[in-house]
Amino acid sequence: MQLSPPMNVAVRTARKAGILAREWFDRRHELEVKNKGKNDLVTSADLMVEEEILHQLKKAYPRYGLLAEEKGGMLTPDRPCWIVDPIDGTLNFAHGLPHFAISIALSEGGNLVGGLVYDPIRDELFVAERGRGAYLNDRRIRVVRGQGLNGALLATGFPHRRPERLPAYLKAFGAFFDVVADQRRLGSAALDLAYVAAGRYDGFWESGLAPWDLAAGVLLVREAGGLVSDFANGEEFLTSGNVVAAPDSLHGAMREIIQQAGM
Ligand code: IPD
Ligand code: CA
Ligand code: CA
């Protein structure tokens, strides 16, 4: 795929950061681990990988805004803004589970215009630009076609930082349980969305996510032909953190189940 100059920089940056993340994954016993909040870890690898990413992005585009998980910042509606999650799947990373990714998105005028999710363990690079399709390692990807919920494989995430949401969450989970083939919770929302874009999952839903978990994956799913919304079929997923991503044939049915459960 022919990428725009900023997304070329983002890809080069993600690959470099991926090498660093892999190195630290192999030496994870040497890392410092801290608790940022309830069930919310940060390792020194998150900080080092983010620093490397921000350094490269700032060097190439000093005037762009930055919103990054560890360093903070805000979306800048008046100029392009990078949205960065240095390691999505930190708990997996810290436990030696090889399922985590680097996520970098670019927003312009409030619209997501570029996004990448890079899995350095499998060397899988998912990348999309607005209006130009979604790709996995240079191959065009698309969401699953056709089927309804019957027989579908869904991905989700538990409300592990918001236990008060658990009863409604379990109600929705149970309703899906009755109709779909099975459900997965692998622990990286960015990869969950990338896998929907690649047709590996039929759909994904989760609540309480942060913009950096979602931004790149949302564009991947849309550019792969899928629908993404919040639970009320609105556009507020980056602020509410509630997201449903699926092909047209599933999106409405998923939302109905989630809404009926009171999520
Ligand atoms: C987490 C992952 C996980 C989701 C959490 C996120 P982190 O991101 O995306 O799948 O369930 O809510 O916070 O903390 O590993 O970057
Ligand atoms: Ca994350
Ligand atoms: Ca993270």
Side-chain angles (χ1 to χ4, degrees):
M1 179 193 187
Q2 189 78 346
L3 292 169
S4 64
M7 284 312 290
N8 252 322
V9 168
V11 165
R12 276 206 308 275
T13 298
R15 289 196 180 279
K16 268 195 194 149
I19 294 171
L20 192 61
R22 257 203 92 124
E23 279 169 10
W24 279 110
F25 183 68
D26 293 337
R27 296 168 58 192
R28 65 193 164 276
H29 304 293
E30 297 168 35
L31 291 171
E32 208 184 315
V33 182
K34 281 194 193 139
N35 260 313
K36 286 195 284 189
K38 188 179 162 53
N39 297 334
D40 198 2
L41 292 186
V42 58
T43 74
S44 35
D46 294 82
L47 301 172
M48 287 183 286
V49 173
E50 186 174 288
E51 213 173 280
E52 169 68 17
I53 295 171
L54 300 191
H55 171 71
Q56 298 293 340
L57 296 178
K58 267 193 225 158
K59 196 167 73 179
Y61 292 97
R63 298 168 66 85
Y64 283 21
L66 281 165
L67 169 62
E69 174 167 19
E70 312 304 343
K71 194 115 196 206
M74 346 187 243
L75 279 171
T76 51
D78 53 327
R79 61 205 156 102
C81 187
W82 299 109
I83 306 171
V84 175
D85 192 337
I87 298 180
D88 185 63
T90 295
L91 198 57
N92 286 346
F93 186 98
H95 283 257
L97 281 169
H99 188 78
F100 55 88
I102 288 155
S103 174
I104 303 177
L106 183 61
S107 124
E108 256 183 68
N111 294 311
L112 295 167
V113 295
L116 71 81
V117 173
Y118 180 54
D119 172 348
I121 298 290
R122 298 179 184 86
D123 192 25
E124 288 191 325
L125 177 75
F126 301 85
V127 61
E129 291 207 67
R130 196 173 180 207
R132 300 176 65 187
Y135 292 78
L136 162 54
N137 291 349
D138 282 331
R139 264 184 308 113
R140 186 84 194 250
I141 50 174
R142 289 179 206 282
V143 294
V144 167
R145 274 168 53 136
Q147 317 289 319
L149 276 177
N150 238 306
L153 178 61
L154 298 187
T156 182
F158 305 135
H160 57 119
R161 290 184 200 127
R162 313 255 179 112
E164 73 283 0
R165 292 192 184 167
L166 192 63
Y169 177 85
L170 290 177
K171 210 167 150 192
F173 189 89
F176 281 125
F177 188 90
D178 288 338
V179 282
V180 301
D182 211 342
Q183 303 177 72
R184 300 280 181 266
R185 196 296 186 240
L186 297 188
S188 161
L191 282 174
D192 290 336
L193 286 160
Y195 284 12
V196 172
R200 293 176 178 173
Y201 290 137
D202 294 86
F204 167 67
W205 68 287
E206 184 162 349
S207 75
L209 290 166
W212 43 81
D213 302 318
L214 286 172
V218 165
L219 190 70
L220 281 164
V221 173
R222 286 185 165 166
E223 288 299 322
L227 299 181
V228 183
S229 73
D230 57 28
F231 295 162
N233 207 21
E235 288 284 309
E236 301 305 313
F237 41 82
L238 286 191
T239 40
S240 69
N242 300 335
V243 71
V244 190
D248 195 12
S249 54
L250 249 77
H251 189 262
M254 284 182 70
R255 270 194 302 105
E256 204 170 304
I257 286 182
I258 294 163
Q259 281 183 308
Q260 268 175 13
M263 284 294 294

